[in-house]
Amino acid sequence: LELRSRFYFMGPSQDSMDSPYALTMRDLLRQVSDEVLSRGHSIGFHPGYRTLRDRQEFHRQKVELEAIVGAEITEGRQHVLRYDCASTPALWDQEGMHEDFSLAYPDDIGFRNGACRTHKAYDLTARKPLGVDQTATCVTEFSMFDPRYQSLSVDEALEKSMRLASAV
């Protein structure tokens, strides 16, 4: 069985809600991203806390992350799942992103957008489909294992995830 994983990294940011590793550990981030890519996995962008409506900041972080990892980035997920349906999808489209996995619940598993299949994002303001594929991230490790949320055992998490998988 060959699995392909996605690794999403934050761009350089000094915001207190973001991790500063792209600023303080650039060489290590480059080494890790090289290793991820050499194993056939993909690298994506984890835009900072204040990027959901701020195209300039989104762009700056994305371009600087691409320079660090030495690769174009076209997929990712918003930091702490901050998402504004009126502006975030259009921003992602304008910045050349192709896949968005932001639609998830932090506190439980399930489909935040009510769909279990990938679909094209839609610009609610311009009333048109966008070039970004949106996929609901129905299972997140932090919602199951983090003590702030469910704090499940591995067996409990697997059981809960399998119930969801069998339903779809």
Side-chain angles (χ1 to χ4, degrees), residues 80-84 102-106 110-115 136-138:
V80 295
L81 306 175
R82 285 174 48 91
Y83 183 85
D84 177 355
S102 298
L103 299 176
Y105 288 117
F111 296 98
R112 180 174 175 180
N113 63 343
T137 303
C138 62

Side-chain angles (χ1 to χ4, degrees), residues 11-12 45-48 50-65 73 75-79 88 91-97 100 102:
F45 181 36
H46 191 68
R50 306 217 186 274
T51 63
L52 77 157
R53 292 182 201 96
D54 187 339
R55 182 173 179 197
Q56 184 176 355
E57 182 62 11
F58 184 106
H59 179 79
R60 185 194 65 75
Q61 288 183 22
K62 180 179 182 278
V63 167
E64 290 184 29
L65 178 62
I73 297 173
E75 68 177 75
R77 149 177 107 68
Q78 283 293 132
H79 185 42
T88 308
L91 186 151
W92 277 61
D93 187 65
Q94 293 161 359
E95 288 299 320
M97 300 295 279
D100 178 9
S102 298

Side-chain angles (χ1 to χ4, degrees), residues 14-16 23 48 54 58 64-65 67 74 76 117 120 122 126 128 143 148:
Q14 294 182 4
D15 192 287
S16 63
L23 292 170
D54 187 339
F58 184 106
E64 290 184 29
L65 178 62
T74 60
R117 299 193 191 280
K120 288 293 182 193
Y122 191 79
K128 66 177 187 172
S143 72
R148 293 174 295 171

